[in-house]
């Protein structure tokens, strides 16, 4: 019975059979010089788990990931990138898709002019670096246009006022849903196996707070929510 | 015969039995805010291999390592740290030692005032960060004093003028030996399994260029050189 249920997901009756999904995961690395870089704390566990779950539900899934220690999930097309600009290009190359989930911790800034050679410690006592904004992958994918995915889901990693910041981020980026999580060091979410998230859905009055669960289970639950949304009749879905 | 040879290293006739060694390895992570940090490209492979080799030769070895994916080497006391300041404190706590090998890629700079909360993308279009110099672990350990190790070995990861930069670094830091390597991206040394190094010994006229070999073999060869040096009569050793 269990085997039959698993098997069915790979058949035509899997809920996301015939659909395409795009997931971003991991950090980006932005070079300062050949040996130094700026990174975000992100293990890639959550994004990889989401991609794996979408693939299990039958979606043709592309995972665009920064440098992580996570193995490539089975049944997923994986594109490995380093910088935010590379990640955006790989995402755009994966369009069109039905759903995009931006779980990567993309560096907001990069050094305005990275050095070609290693900077020497000497003569740089009060080093100053100037930064320029990276492209905003979530906002770019959310822009209205022919290639906008029907459902765009963002993540908001916050350390204070988690819900308020996440609501504001959803509106600002133009995405449909936001998964908000508290990544304060005390929560152990970064690099850990568990996550406590709040799902904020466009139009819904209150965020859904999910119980603390493994990142694999968050991925599974989110993938099922995405499947439920995509298999609604189009008229109903377009209002969400 | 082989087993006997291996066994003997753990006995009193191992060349470094009764000696103490300190090795640093890996990158340091310097926080910008709770979710962002500056890092150096360093897998920790070379430093961990050196610590493992010194322990195999009988030295009571402490390894102070930044965040890496390397397993703790067997028979080595391992201290895990994140920042350069933590690394220095852990090194000082391990003194006195007979030999110190500084293989870590320590961040030369840290952000002058790291933020307590995640910095928001908005309002930081042309972000500027001011940096302040980190403590110099190699120079600090090389300072003359009661606790100076008899042999201090530094590493110089360079991307141009490798030998010249490394010679200058040895003189500037006050260490005894420098292991110089070319870490230009084209060499594949960062993160790779092999290394091409040049050993620069105080007083020797020419650097020794070792053939390209695995990082494990570099560790083995360096540990044997250190053993040969430490078991010289003191009068001879003091001139090197």
């Amino acid at each position: 019975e269990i085997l039959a249920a698993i098997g069915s997901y790979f058949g035509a009756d899997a809920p996301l059979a015939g659909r395409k999904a795009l997931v971003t995961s991991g950090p980006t690395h932005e070079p300062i010089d050949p040996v130094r870089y700026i990174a975000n704390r992100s293990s890639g566990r959550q994004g990889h788990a989401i991609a794996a779950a979408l693939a299990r539900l039958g979606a043709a899934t592309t995972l665009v990931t920064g440098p992580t220690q996570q193995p490539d999930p089975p049944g997923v097309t994986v594109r490995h990138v380093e910088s935010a600009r590379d990640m955006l290009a790989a995402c755009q190359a994966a369009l069109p898709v039905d759903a995009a989930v931006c779980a990567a911790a993309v560096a907001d800034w990069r050094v305005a002019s990275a050095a070609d050679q290693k900077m020497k410690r000497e003569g740089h006592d009060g080093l100053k670096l100037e930064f320029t904004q990276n492209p905003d992958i979530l906002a770019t994918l959310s822009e209205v246009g022919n290639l906008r995915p029907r459902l765009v889901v963002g993540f908001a990693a916050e350390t204070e006022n988690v819900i308020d910041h996440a609501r504001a981020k959803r509106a600002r980026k133009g995405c449909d849903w936001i998964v908000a999580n508290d990544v304060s060091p005390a929560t152990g979410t970064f690099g850990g196996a568990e996550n406590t998230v709040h799902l904020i859905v466009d139009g819904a009055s209150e965020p859904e707070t999910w119980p603390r669960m493994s990142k694999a289970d968050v991925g599974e639950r989110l993938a099922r929510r995405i499947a439920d949304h995509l298999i609604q009749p189009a008229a109903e879905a377009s209002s969400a």
Side-chain angles (χ1 to χ4, degrees), chain A residues 49-145:
Chain A
I50 294 165
L54 287 166
R56 281 195 300 270
L57 295 182
T61 305
T62 299
L63 172 65
V64 180
T65 179
T68 78
Q69 297 298 325
Q70 303 298 313
D72 290 354
V76 171
T77 302
V78 183
R79 306 282 180 229
H80 293 273
V81 299
E82 287 240 332
S83 72
R85 287 176 291 177
D86 294 344
M87 184 172 276
L88 176 61
C91 286
Q92 287 172 321
L95 298 180
V97 297
D98 298 285
V101 181
C102 295
V106 182
D108 289 318
W109 299 282
R110 65 176 182 276
V111 176
S113 52
D116 288 339
Q117 299 296 339
K118 182 180 176 187
M119 294 188 301
K120 308 307 287 182
R121 180 185 180 93
E122 292 68 35
H124 285 291
D125 189 57
L127 180 71
K128 288 183 194 181
L129 288 181
E130 295 204 18
F131 293 84
T132 188
Q133 283 208 346
N134 266 328
D136 189 325
I137 296 173
L138 177 59
T140 303
L141 293 177
S142 298
E143 273 166 21
V144 178

